[in-house]
Amino acid sequence: MKLMLLLTLIAPTLTIPNVLRFDREKVLRVRLQDEKQVSIFKDLADTVLLDFWHPSSIQDVAPKMEVDFHVGEDQFQHVQSVLEKNKMQYEILIYDLQEEIEKQFDVKDDSPGRHSYLKYNEWSKIASWTQRMTEKSPELITRLEIGRTGENKPIYVLKVGKKSGEARAIFMDCGIHAREWISPAFCQWFVYQATKTYGKNKIMTKLLDKMNFYVLPVFNIDGYIWTWTKDRLWRKNRAKTFNSKCIGVDLNRNFNASWGSKLGSKNPCSETYRGKAPESEKETKAVVGFIRKHRYEIEAYLSFHAYSQMLLFPYGYTKVRVPNDDELSKISKIATEALATRYETHYVYGPIATTIYPTSGSSIDWAYDFGITRSFAFELRDKGRYGFLLPESQIKETCKETMLAVKSIAKYILRNPPVL
C-alpha cells in the first residue's frame, strides 16, 4: 500500500501498468486555528505523503483555513492520531475514495461509446465531438488547431459566433487541471447550448451575432487522458522533468505572471510545480500564442476550475488590488447573483490572493497583465463533499447555473467596451 500511495501522490512514473486504485483511502478536512497548528500540520506533511485538494499545496496552508487532503489507508490512523492529539478539528469527507470514484458515474449510459452532455467524456469522444460540432453548425462554429501537447495531441479551440474575421471576443479555457472533470464538461455544455439556442434565446442570439467565443474544451489534454487511463487524481500535464522520478508541470503555474516568485514551487515532484521557465510547456505556449495573435479581439478571459464555488479575479500573486477592482467586483456580483437564481447555489467572489489563497503563474493573472482586464476564474461545484469527484448527476445543474453567470458576464462586456 505504501508503494501505491507513493506512486499516487508523488508524480507517477511513465511505467504504471494498470489503473491506480484508492480502496479505503480517505479525504479529510482539517480546520487549523492558529500558527501553532499550522506548524504542526506542516511537520506532519513532511513525514506523511498527503495529496492536497484545497489548497493545492502545503505552502498555501494558513491559520483559519479549512484544508482538504487525501491520505492513504496505511497512514490514516497516524494522521488521525496527530490531529486529535493536537486538538485540530477535522472531519472525514470521503471514507472510501475508490468507492466514490466509481459512484461518480451515476448517470445511466443509454448510448455507450457516444458523446453525452450528461456524462463525463474521455478525450477521444471530445475530440470527435469538436469535429461533429463544426459539421453540424458550420455557420456558428469553426475548429482551430492552435498547437500540440507534449505528447503530440492536437489542441483545439472552437470559435463560436456569427462574426467572421476580427470581432469582439471572449476566451474560455476548461480543464487546465486534469482531475477537475466538471470543467471540460461545462465547456462542452456551453458550445452545445450556444448553438442549440441561437435564434431561439434572445440573449444568446444577440451575443453570438455581435461577439465570438473562443472555447478551449480541454487545456491539459495529456493529463486529462491520464486521469481516464491511469490515475483519476492526476493534476499536472505529463511533461518529463529534470527529476526522472517525477512527471508533470502545473500549467496554471506556468504563465509569465510573477512566475519566479516564492509562491510557485520549483520542486518537480510538487503538484504545483511551475516548470523550468515561464511558458516552458507546449500547452501554455499554444494558448499564449493564440491570445497574442488575437490581442485586439479578446476582451475577457474566463477560466473554469473545480472546486469551491467561487468567482475569482486578479491578482493571485499579490494582495495589491488591481486598478479596476471595483468593476471586477461589480461584474462578479452580477454573475454570482445570476448563477444563484437557478438552484440557489451560493458563490463567493473576490481577488484570488485574498479569497482563496496566493498563487503565481496563473492564466488569468497573465491575461490581466497582458491587457485583458476582465479576467475571471470560476471554481465550480462543490464545496468539498465530493471535491474533484462531482457525480455526473450534478453536471446538468452545474452547467445550467454556470451558463447564467457566463451569459451575464458576456452581456456586461458587450454593453461596456473596454477603455483603451
Side-chain angles (χ1 to χ4, degrees):
M1 185 62 204
K2 287 184 179 180
L3 177 59
M4 179 178 289
L5 186 62
L6 183 63
L7 290 170
T8 302
L9 302 182
I10 302 182
T13 68
L14 292 170
T15 58
I16 299 173
N18 299 304
V19 177
L20 290 172
R21 293 186 61 87
F22 303 90
D23 298 283
R24 294 173 297 282
E25 300 188 12
K26 293 174 174 49
V27 176
L28 279 68
R29 170 172 289 170
V30 61
R31 296 173 179 83
L32 302 174
Q33 300 301 316
D34 51 35
E35 290 287 358
K36 181 180 179 181
Q37 288 193 348
V38 169
S39 177
I40 293 169
F41 187 74
K42 287 185 175 181
D43 287 342
L44 175 65
D46 284 339
T47 59
V48 177
L49 295 173
L50 304 180
D51 171 23
F52 285 91
W53 284 24
H54 178 85
S56 302
S57 68
I58 185 62
Q59 69 187 44
D60 299 321
V61 173
K64 306 300 180 183
M65 177 181 282
E66 291 186 341
V67 181
D68 299 351
F69 62 94
H70 155 216
V71 63
E73 179 190 13
D74 60 340
Q75 299 281 3
F76 169 67
Q77 286 191 337
H78 172 63
V79 169
Q80 185 181 42
S81 174
V82 171
L83 298 181
E84 292 180 350
K85 179 181 178 181
N86 291 282
K87 296 182 172 55
M88 297 183 192
Q89 298 177 6
Y90 75 93
E91 62 179 307
I92 301 174
L93 299 176
I94 296 176
Y95 281 84
D96 188 323
L97 192 52
Q98 184 61 36
E99 185 178 291
E100 211 65 53
I101 288 172
E102 293 167 6
K103 285 165 60 179
Q104 186 177 20
F105 300 98
D106 63 347
V107 170
K108 183 181 177 182
D109 196 347
D110 294 325
S111 303
R114 293 188 61 183
H115 180 276
S116 171
Y117 296 101
L118 302 181
K119 295 186 64 63
Y120 293 119
N121 297 293
E122 59 189 357
W123 170 245
S124 61
K125 291 182 183 178
I126 297 172
S128 298
W129 165 84
T130 62
Q131 179 60 32
R132 282 200 312 276
M133 292 303 289
T134 65
E135 295 167 354
K136 185 177 179 182
S137 304
E139 76 287 355
L140 282 175
I141 299 181
T142 305
R143 186 175 76 169
L144 309 169
E145 183 178 325
I146 68 169
R148 293 260 164 175
T149 70
E151 297 184 346
N152 203 35
K153 300 292 189 300
I155 303 172
Y156 295 128
V157 163
L158 294 180
K159 179 182 179 181
V160 185
K162 292 285 284 186
K163 289 286 186 180
S164 60
E166 288 197 0
R168 302 180 66 189
I170 293 175
F171 186 89
M172 297 165 51
D173 82 52
C174 288
I176 197 168
H177 291 139
R179 61 189 177 184
E180 298 169 11
W181 284 7
I182 188 60
S183 171
F186 173 72
C187 267
Q188 294 162 69
W189 181 276
F190 175 86
V191 173
Y192 168 66
Q193 287 295 324
T195 56
K196 179 184 176 183
T197 61
Y198 179 78
K200 301 172 185 176
N201 178 274
K202 184 178 179 180
I203 295 172
M204 185 56 74
T205 302
K206 184 176 182 180
L207 290 173
L208 296 185
D209 278 342
K210 295 182 178 296
M211 303 182 76
N212 290 323
F213 291 84
Y214 291 114
V215 183
L216 175 58
V218 183
F219 194 132
N220 181 8
I221 297 166
D222 297 342
Y224 187 70
I225 292 171
W226 196 255
T227 63
W228 281 85
T229 58
K230 298 294 182 181
D231 179 355
R232 174 62 185 86
L233 298 179
W234 189 260
R235 171 185 169 93
K236 301 183 286 183
N237 74 355
R238 294 295 303 163
K240 293 180 181 179
T241 70
F242 62 83
N243 184 326
S244 60
K245 295 186 297 183
C246 298
I247 297 293
V249 171
D250 182 344
L251 295 174
N252 203 41
R253 302 294 186 274
N254 191 234
F255 284 80
N256 194 11
S258 192
W259 177 86
S261 76
K262 63 181 181 179
L263 294 173
S265 175
K266 57 184 179 181
N267 176 7
C269 296
S270 169
E271 291 284 9
T272 57
Y273 174 50
R274 66 193 181 195
K276 62 185 178 182
E279 299 173 29
S280 62
E281 303 311 293
K282 291 184 177 180
E283 298 89 344
T284 315
K285 284 180 181 176
V287 170
V288 167
F290 180 83
I291 292 175
R292 285 178 176 147
K293 182 179 178 182
H294 296 271
R295 64 180 302 170
Y296 297 112
E297 297 176 60
I298 298 172
E299 297 181 15
Y301 188 125
L302 307 181
S303 185
F304 296 87
H305 299 250
Y307 58 94
S308 287
Q309 294 177 197
M310 295 179 176
L311 182 52
L312 306 169
F313 50 83
Y315 283 123
Y317 63 75
T318 176
K319 293 183 180 180
V320 175
R321 297 295 178 113
V322 295
N324 66 329
D325 179 83
D326 287 345
E327 181 190 44
L328 297 183
S329 293
K330 177 182 176 181
I331 297 172
S332 297
K333 183 175 188 293
I334 292 168
T336 54
E337 287 178 352
L339 186 150
T341 60
R342 191 81 196 205
Y343 303 108
E344 298 184 356
T345 305
H346 178 63
Y347 271 53
V348 298
Y349 61 85
I352 301 168
T354 55
T355 306
I356 187 166
Y357 47 80
T359 185
S360 62
S362 73
S363 64
I364 70 164
D365 275 0
W366 173 82
Y368 186 93
D369 285 343
F370 184 65
I372 305 172
T373 56
R374 281 85 173 259
S375 292
F376 299 90
F378 282 81
E379 293 283 352
L380 302 177
R381 291 191 188 186
D382 61 0
K383 288 192 172 183
R385 164 61 184 88
Y386 298 104
F388 304 122
L389 307 176
L390 193 71
E392 289 178 326
S393 55
Q394 291 197 36
I395 291 176
K396 185 176 182 180
E397 288 189 358
T398 303
C399 290
K400 279 190 170 185
E401 66 190 13
T402 308
M403 194 77 176
L404 295 175
V406 171
K407 286 167 71 174
S408 70
I409 293 174
K411 282 194 298 179
Y412 180 92
I413 302 299
L414 187 62
R415 293 171 181 167
N416 300 274
V419 178
L420 300 177

